């Protein structure tokens, strides 16, 4: 917009000032707190004429050679203009008048006062006064209807009132403003203005907008606003032609709107940001003079008005096209998407993560709308050209009317902003102190303030590596941490490419670091570390794999923009945007890949379930290697491998939160023991770096029905135990060492629960349910169940159960020949010392206990548990803790890392196998029975020889009932395990 | 009782630590400890916590009451009340001393806490002396020791008992019938 800004100059001392032009436009007249009225020939006039009207001048109006001022002696005076001779007192108030205004003909003066009254006085005869009473607070401003019928006034009581002058009555009153008690306290002067000429509109400044009210109907027909206006508007003034409206605000901004199109055609900011308290258009419409509360006078000369009304339309169109991007019309539908997001994600105040996540995503939503605007405006053009130039009044409505239908309101589902890529276990990147990664291995903290741009790496287990402090000269924003390396990545800048830096601290050579530049135009979005490999997902939907030493490996394309990625052992889990979600939902997809010898995809791009209207907030593997994630609603879900890779909700962290704004920031999930490790965050979604947050442990709870009842509780426990038992089969199938003691314990727990549930169902006389439960039991527990049923005299039930028991027994017998196959597993445990390093502390402990129980375990046990003894053994001297570090190399803690692959120990185990297998073939029920009963037989017949003992035993065994025999074999299985144990350690 | 003995007793108090090593459950006569998982808080007795801390095997999580605001509140209450107010821990002084001496880097605002606890201690010991004074001057037969910690009682026990003894002897000598000559023996 071509306009020239004239330099500003001081005209009065600071305080409220007013400005107006004389009728010819030759003079600028100002008044101010110093009580002078100055008459300037131009802004460059260094010696203005002045008239002293009182101690202070509050307001002035000038028309037809009469200068009316409101001064501090509670009067409204007239002076002649330009001579400045006093011409009498027009009216008096009990306190000072706040605003005076002429009508269009100059025959009347209206004055509003701090004593709540508005007076209308004939200039020629000051005795003809009309008093308008009704305001309940000091009057802020008055303005005449150009047709002289009405008068509008604004008051500190918050109302804007239109009066009928003749009848001295209120026509209408709008409660628009903020209430204050005094003129000096009012936020805005609320200088009203009535459209000159046609008098169609009354402009009322309301906060940061200008409301236009239609004369006659007094309807609020439109609003003029501007996005950049943040402060309340103080004054408004119509251009003499009535087509433009200028507004000056408290913050010093000046806006000029074209009223027809409601476009802001001119924006101007006061160079010092002072409050604009008066505005006046030059009678030709080419200049706006304004004053501020600091006593400065300035003006803007607008060239477009010079071109006058003929070319004005043309300008208007150009403006429409060029300004539409900046321009904002206050119509609800356009704003809706953004608001929806706010409502959606900002239900808590501290939703910074999502704010960040969505910060640049609002624009894609808004952009199409902006584009529509352009189109609409172009479409509008011919209409505009067709407007009648002279009919300024009617020109407003036709133009305003089509605006509404041209912005079609789309009310269907709205696309949700796609969630930004993030590193699970990190806090938002905009923070100066943040966690770049918090996982089960350690913590990576990033500092980015004036003094320092650094990264701190700290390990939970100092045996892995000592803490590191790195200067972050590259500006890394992403990090991952494993037992082997620290992986960092930075986004690209104008000059530098996106870089990937890996600190491979576990490397045995001297080069502990490597760095890779991603190709130009490719930015790292997500990264993760696995065992021996590194994965980076980039902005070009590419996934790059590297070896931990820095070799480039496979590369493949992702189906959509990555959200996040995690690695664990040989597994890589990728979450990406499958499509655009609607109504706040995210449409995510999941891929689970397994590397290692047999590379395969376990989950290929299935939809990823999230809670309604939530987004992904954490993704990871449990320590045992089961994929797991948390959404923004706090629901933790875990992969159920035994149910076709479905996702089971295992916990809702929000249920344990005390208040709505509290959250749990998950840092790890463990299946054995069942632990959800998280950091409680009061009133936020993520923790601050200082004070150092403490980890808390939450229990899991499947959301089953009726968990308050005993039945519900046991069902929940059972299925939770089953679900968390899944990892044993996965681990053993993918060749990892498993904690067999834990496995058998959880199996036992499940069977106990089943038995309890069976008893409960029996009590409730639910026999069908009992049978259903029995189907889930193992064979020996079914035997117990049969006994329970027969004891509680449920013969029909016992009958059915015995059928099940038989079926199970057959199954067991079919499986039995396989049992020796498992022996190497057992025997491996006792093999050479290199095996022992693979043992978990817990397993070693169990073994030690077992050996001690057998009274034979000392030698191997002590060497087998270096870490168990260490910590407490060297309590007396701290120097001895050194060997602990050497002992503490990877694979000693089963909970935190993948267990040692079985392949390592194949050789030693097979050797053992050959030695021992022949000794422990499975025993028949009789053999077991014999073992148990040998003593009694010998006691009964002390003189018998070994063969006779067996004969005798056989005789006794035959006399036993079939059921007891069966039990014997069941017991046999149990005994068999015990037996092998003792054999092994004995 | 020696102050060091009181301190010894205080070392049995449990405190949370965050270990940076992993260790299975430890079976001790006093009870089982652990399991220790790196990064996961676990409750251990103070003696073990300090030992581990000195060997840089853990970070100590200060007890909940070891917080500037809570202590300030407590100090103000202690100053206002005439009687002894309940203390956050029966071993607050010993624990503060031990933890601040060995693990001040794990405790935010350690200096302020030290001053506050010292203030509370001083206030209480002053009260104790005053009440001992009035106990003696008013010839009371018994005194209530509510909310007093072992350490506090310990500071005054030896002196109070000895002086009471002494006074008793003096008084019994002052009684009519006793010869004046005996007094010079003391």
């Amino acid at each position: 917009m071509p306009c020239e800004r004239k330099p500003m100059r001081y005209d009065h001392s600071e305080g409220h000032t007013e400005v107006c032009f004389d009728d010819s436009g030759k003079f600028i007249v100002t008044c101010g707190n110093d009580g002078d009225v100055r008459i300037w020939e131009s802004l460059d006039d260094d010696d203005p004429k002045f008239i002293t009207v009182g101690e202070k001048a509050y307001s002035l109006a000038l028309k037809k050679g009469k200068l009316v001022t409101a001064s501090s002696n509670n009067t409204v005076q007239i002076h002649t203009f330009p001579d400045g001779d006093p011409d009498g007192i027009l009216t008096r108030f009990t306190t000072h008048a706040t605003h005076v205004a002429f009508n269009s003909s100059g025959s009347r003066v209206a004055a509003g006062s701090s004593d709540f009254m508005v007076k209308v006085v004939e200039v020629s005869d000051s005795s003809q006064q009309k008093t308008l009473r009704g305001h309940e607070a000091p009057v802020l401003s008055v303005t005449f209807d150009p047709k002289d019928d009405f008068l509008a006034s604004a008051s500190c009581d918050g109302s804007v009132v239109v009066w009928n002058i003749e009848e001295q009555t209120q026509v209408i009153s709008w409660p628009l403003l903020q209430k204050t008690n005094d003129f000096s306290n009012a936020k805005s002067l609320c200088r009203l203005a009535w459209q000159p000429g046609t008098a169609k509109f009354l402009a009322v400044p309301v906060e940061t907008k200008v409301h236009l009210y239609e004369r006659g109907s007094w309807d609020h027909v439109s609003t003029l606003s501007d996005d950049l206006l943040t402060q309340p508007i103080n004054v408004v003034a119509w251009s003499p032609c009535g087509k433009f409206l200028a507004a000056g605000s408290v913050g010093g901004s000046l806006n000029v709107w074209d009223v027809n199109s409601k476009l802001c055609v001119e924006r101007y900011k006061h160079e010092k940001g002072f409050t604009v308290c008066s505005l006046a258009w030059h009678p030709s419409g080419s200049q706006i003079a304004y004053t501020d509360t600091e006593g400065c006078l300035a003006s803007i000369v607008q060239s477009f008005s010079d071109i006058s009304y003929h070319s004005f339309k043309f300008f208007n169109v150009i403006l429409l096209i060029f300004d539409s991007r900046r321009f904002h019309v206050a119509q609800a539908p356009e704003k809706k998407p953004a608001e929806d997001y706010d409502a959606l994600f900002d239900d808590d105040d501290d939703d910074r993560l999502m704010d960040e996540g969505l910060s640049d995503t609002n624009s894609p939503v808004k952009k199409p709308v902006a584009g529509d605007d352009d189109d609409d405006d172009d479409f509008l053009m011919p209409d505009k050209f067709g407007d009648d130039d002279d009919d300024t009044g009617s020109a407003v409505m036709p133009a305003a009317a089509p605006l509404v239908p041209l912005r079609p309101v789309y009310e269907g589902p709205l696309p949700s902003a796609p969630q930004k890529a993030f590193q699970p276990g990190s806090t938002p990147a905009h923070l100066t102190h943040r966690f770049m990664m918090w996982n089960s291995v350690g913590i990576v903290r990033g500092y980015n303030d004036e003094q320092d741009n650094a990264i701190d790496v700290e390990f939970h287990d100092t045996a892995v590596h000592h803490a590191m402090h790195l200067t972050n000269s590259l500006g890394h924003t992403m990090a991952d941490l494993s037992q082997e390396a620290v992986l960092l990545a930075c986004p690209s800048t104008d000059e530098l490419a996106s870089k990937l830096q890996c600190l491979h601290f576990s490397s045995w050579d001297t080069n502990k670091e490597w760095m890779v530049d991603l190709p130009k135009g490719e930015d790292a979005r997500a990264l993760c570390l696995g065992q021996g490999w590194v994965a980076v997902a980039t902005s070009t939907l590419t996934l790059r794999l590297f070896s931990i030493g820095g070799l480039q490996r496979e590369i493949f394309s992702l189906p959509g923009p990555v959200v996040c990625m995690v690695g664990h052992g040989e597994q890589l889990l990728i979450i990406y945007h499958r499509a655009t979600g609607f109504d706040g939902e995210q449409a995510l997809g999941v891929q689970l890949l397994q590397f290692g010898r047999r590379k395969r995809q376990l989950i290929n791009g299935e939809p990823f379930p999230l809670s309604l209207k939530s987004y992904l907030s954490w993704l990871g593997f449990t320590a045992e290697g089961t994929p797991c994630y948390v959404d923004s609603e706090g629901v933790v879900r875990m992969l159920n491998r035994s149910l076709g890779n479905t996702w089971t909700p295992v916990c809702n962290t929000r249920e344990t939160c005390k208040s709505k704004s509290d959250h749990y920031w998950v840092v790890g999930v463990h299946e054995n023991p069942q632990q959800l490790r998280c950091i409680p965050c009061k009133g936020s979604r993520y923790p601050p770096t200082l004070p150092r947050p403490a980890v808390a442990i939450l229990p899991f709870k499947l959301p089953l029905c009726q968990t308050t009842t005993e039945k519900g509780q046991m069902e929940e426990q059972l299925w939770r135990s089953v679900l968390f038992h899944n990892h044993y089969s996965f681990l053993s199938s993918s060749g990892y060492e498993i904690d067999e003691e834990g496995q058998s314990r959880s199996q036992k727990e499940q069977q106990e629960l089943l038995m309890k549930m069976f008893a409960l169902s029996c009590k409730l006389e639910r026999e069908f349910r009992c049978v259903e439960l029995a189907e889930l039991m193992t064979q020996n527990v079914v035997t117990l169940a049969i006994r329970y049923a027969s004891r509680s005299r449920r013969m029909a039930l016992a009958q059915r159960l015995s059928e099940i028991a038989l079926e199970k027994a057959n199954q067991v017998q079919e499986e039995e020949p396989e049992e020796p196959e498992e022996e190497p597993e057992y025997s491996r445990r006792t093999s050479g010392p290199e095996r022992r390093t693979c043992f978990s502390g817990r397993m070693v402990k169990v073994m030690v206990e077992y050996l001690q129980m057998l009274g034979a375990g000392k030698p191997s046990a002590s060497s087998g548990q270096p870490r168990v003894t260490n910590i407490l053994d060297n309590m007396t001297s701290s120097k001895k803790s050194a060997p602990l570090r050497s002992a503490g190399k990877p694979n000693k803690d089963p909970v935190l890392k993948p267990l040692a692959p079985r392949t390592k120990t194949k050789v030693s185990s097979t050797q053992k196998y050959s030695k021992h297998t022949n000794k422990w073939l499975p025993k028949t029920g009789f053999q077991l029975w014999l073992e148990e009963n040998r003593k009694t037989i010998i006691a009964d017949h002390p003189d018998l020889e070994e063969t006779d003992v067996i004969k005798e035993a056989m005789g006794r065994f035959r006399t036993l009932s079939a059921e007891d025999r069966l039990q014997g074999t069941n017991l046999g299985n149990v005994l068999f395990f015990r037996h092998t144990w003792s054999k092994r350690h004995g | 009782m020696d102050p060091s003995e009181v301190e010894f007793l205080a070392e049995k108090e449990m405190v949370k630590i965050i270990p940076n090593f992993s260790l299975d459950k430890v079976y001790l006569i006093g009870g089982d400890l652990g399991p220790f998982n790196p990064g996961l808080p676990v409750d251990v007795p103070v003696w073990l916590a300090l030992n581990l801390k000195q060997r840089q095997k853990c970070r100590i999580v200060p007890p909940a009451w070891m917080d500037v605001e809570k202590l300030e509140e407590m100090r103000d209450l202690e100053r206002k009340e005439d009687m002894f107010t309940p203390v956050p821990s029966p071993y607050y002084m010993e624990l503060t001393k031990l933890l601040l001496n060995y693990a001040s880097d794990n405790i935010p605002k350690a200096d302020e806490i030290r001053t506050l606890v010292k203030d509370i201690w001083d206030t209480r010991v002053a009260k104790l002396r005053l009440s001992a004074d009035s106990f003696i001057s008013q010839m009371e037969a018994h005194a209530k020791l509510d909310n007093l910690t072992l350490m506090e009682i310990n500071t005054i026990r030896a002196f109070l008992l000895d002086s009471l003894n002494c006074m008793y002897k003096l008084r019994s000598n002052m009684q009519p019938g006793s010869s004046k000559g005996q007094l010079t023996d003391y």
Side-chain angles (χ1 to χ4, degrees), chain A residues 382 421 472 480 641:
Chain A
N472 188 7
D480 197 7
R641 294 189 200 262

Side-chain angles (χ1 to χ4, degrees), chain B:
Chain B
M1 215 174 180
D2 208 303
S4 59
E5 288 172 292
V6 184
E7 195 181 88
F8 178 80
L9 292 176
E11 284 180 350
K12 275 193 189 161
E13 284 291 291
M14 296 302 257
V15 68
K16 251 194 183 52
I17 62 161
I18 298 171
N20 58 18
F21 59 89
S22 77
L23 179 67
D24 218 327
K25 239 181 179 172
V26 188
Y27 304 94
L28 302 175
I29 302 171
D32 301 348
L33 299 177
F36 298 88
N37 288 310
L40 209 60
V42 61
D43 277 320
V44 295
V46 172
W47 60 265
L48 183 60
L50 294 178
N51 186 290
L52 291 172
K53 172 70 196 170
Q54 277 174 304
R55 290 188 292 133
Q56 301 185 332
K57 291 265 161 255
C58 73
R59 276 188 307 120
I60 293 179
V61 181
W65 55 265
M66 209 176 273
D67 171 77
V68 172
E69 270 176 37
K70 282 182 187 159
L71 287 174
E72 265 172 359
E73 234 168 70
M74 240 168 260
R75 179 195 60 186
D76 295 344
L77 187 70
E78 188 67 59
R79 283 181 177 167
K80 215 169 69 189
E81 295 280 320
D82 286 335
M83 299 301 286
F84 293 102
T85 54
V87 281
S89 153
Y91 300 103
Y92 74 99
M93 190 62 195
E94 301 89 307
L95 288 181
T96 314
K97 191 164 168 282
L98 288 170
L99 295 185
L100 288 179
N101 280 354
Y102 296 109
S104 55
D105 51 332
N106 295 152
I107 299 166
K109 298 186 182 169
D111 289 341
E112 279 178 57
I113 287 171
R114 198 189 294 269
T115 321
L116 281 168
V117 173
K118 189 85 175 73
D119 282 355
I120 295 174
W121 169 262
D122 286 346
T123 318
R124 291 172 67 89
V125 170
K127 270 188 203 174
L128 192 60
R129 281 202 215 100
L130 270 179
S131 63
D133 182 50
S134 62
F135 175 76
I136 290 168
S137 59
Q138 289 168 20
M139 308 277 263
E140 295 286 346
H142 58 88
K144 247 169 110 178
L145 295 176
D146 285 2
N147 292 331
L148 270 178
T149 65
L150 191 55
M151 192 63 131
E152 285 157 352
I153 296 171
N154 210 34
T155 52
I156 203 159
R157 179 191 283 133
F159 173 72
L160 189 66
L161 291 184
D162 283 356
S163 44
L164 281 176
N165 243 344
C166 200
M167 280 170 64
Y168 173 75
K169 278 182 186 160
L170 286 171
R171 285 207 182 104
S172 54
N173 284 340
M174 294 279 279
Q175 301 230 323
S178 65
S179 72
K180 262 195 173 179
Q182 275 175 306
L183 209 84
T184 50
D185 289 349
Y186 296 98

Side-chain angles (χ1 to χ4, degrees), chain A residues 72-130:
Chain A
S72 55
N73 54 6
N74 305 347
T75 57
V76 175
Q77 302 166 318
I78 304 185
H79 289 79
T80 57
F81 184 84
D83 305 328
D85 301 327
D87 199 12
I89 289 170
L90 208 54
T91 183
R92 282 173 198 277
F93 290 97
T94 51
T95 69
H96 67 82
T98 55
H99 192 207
V100 290
F102 269 105
N103 67 353
S104 52
S105 62
S107 61
R108 285 166 164 181
V109 167
S113 152
S114 286
D115 64 5
F116 311 176
M117 283 200 288
V118 177
K119 285 182 183 177
V120 179
V121 193
E122 296 290 330
V123 176
S124 52
D125 182 2
S126 62
S127 63
Q128 288 208 20
Q129 291 194 3
K130 291 197 165 66

Side-chain angles (χ1 to χ4, degrees), chain A residues 646-657:
Chain A
T646 50
W647 298 89
T648 308
V650 290
C651 182
N652 187 350
T653 59
R654 298 304 301 274
E655 275 172 9
T656 39
C657 288

